[in-house]
Amino acid sequence: MASHLGLLVMFAVFVSVIFAALLRDEPKEQLRFGVRLLAGFVGAALVLSWLMYPLPL
Amino acid sequence: MRATAADRAQSINPTLISIAALLVPGAGHIWQGRAQKGMIFLIGIPLMFAVGLWLNGRLFPFELTQPLVALAALASFGNGVPYAVATALGLGKGIVTAATYEYGNTFVIVSGLLNMLVALDAYDIALGRK
């Protein structure tokens, strides 16, 4: 279990679940917010990793 | 008319609720009748902490001579009872050479910080701010 992407997604899942439960009250809202948060975390990580791909120049 | 869990919690000192929440993740929410949220915290935070230990993360000692180590220790201490259990079992030695060492540390530290946020949320609920 040393896949960087796998660990990144697992971390994002944990943080998204906790934040969704913390910041939203209704289960439906929690699910919607959690999925958006997870997509944001993973998407941002993928974009940043591709931006850093050519580094160091 | 029977008092609900939230009504009963109103009469309890908010500081006591936040201490309970800090010791056992989700306890503050369950105590105040927010069982659904409390169960998510009760399962999610210790599971994240356990995954961190499984990934060879370290439970850092309080070394004030090394401020970053002390801060990491303070953050992981936020896990409460799971931290005490792991320490008692001799877990969290950390294997620096393991590929997942830094990931493990991140899981352990962030789970403690998340539990601190959860305890603050329980405190706010007890004060009637939420």
Side-chain angles (χ1 to χ4, degrees):
Chain A
M1 188 60 194
S3 154
H4 294 278
L5 183 64
L7 292 172
L8 182 151
V9 172
M10 195 198 295
F11 181 82
V13 166
F14 277 118
V15 176
S16 301
V17 167
I18 302 298
F19 267 110
L22 201 59
L23 299 175
R24 295 289 183 271
D25 290 326
E26 296 300 318
K28 266 190 180 178
E29 287 179 7
Q30 288 172 349
L31 183 65
R32 198 175 304 140
F33 184 68
V35 168
R36 281 175 58 195
L37 208 55
L38 177 63
F41 278 137
V42 176
L46 289 175
V47 168
L48 279 172
S49 58
W50 275 107
L51 285 175
M52 289 190 289
Y53 184 71
L55 299 175
L57 295 171
Chain B
M1 192 168 69
R2 286 179 60 190
T4 63
D7 292 334
R8 285 194 301 274
Q10 291 263 317
S11 59
I12 300 164
N13 186 342
T15 308
L16 204 61
I17 287 179
S18 55
I19 289 171
L22 203 57
L23 289 176
V24 180
H29 287 79
I30 294 171
W31 197 348
Q32 297 180 91
R34 303 196 181 195
Q36 186 256 0
K37 283 189 174 202
M39 289 307 292
I40 291 174
F41 302 140
L42 186 61
I43 295 167
I45 291 173
L47 189 61
M48 188 178 185
F49 177 69
V51 169
L53 294 179
W54 175 61
L55 293 172
N56 298 307
R58 184 179 175 203
L59 297 176
F60 290 96
F62 280 99
E63 284 183 22
L64 293 176
T65 52
Q66 293 179 291
L68 289 179
V69 172
L71 284 174
L74 193 66
S76 51
F77 191 66
N79 281 292
V81 170
Y83 176 91
V85 171
T87 307
L89 293 174
L91 302 173
K93 302 284 182 209
I95 301 170
V96 184
T97 52
T100 56
Y101 174 70
E102 293 295 346
Y103 290 102
N105 289 341
T106 306
F107 274 70
V108 166
I109 289 168
V110 172
S111 61
L113 293 174
L114 285 172
N115 193 38
M116 289 180 188
L117 270 180
V118 168
L120 281 174
D121 189 61
Y123 184 71
D124 275 347
I125 294 167
L127 286 179
R129 287 179 183 157
K130 290 182 111 181

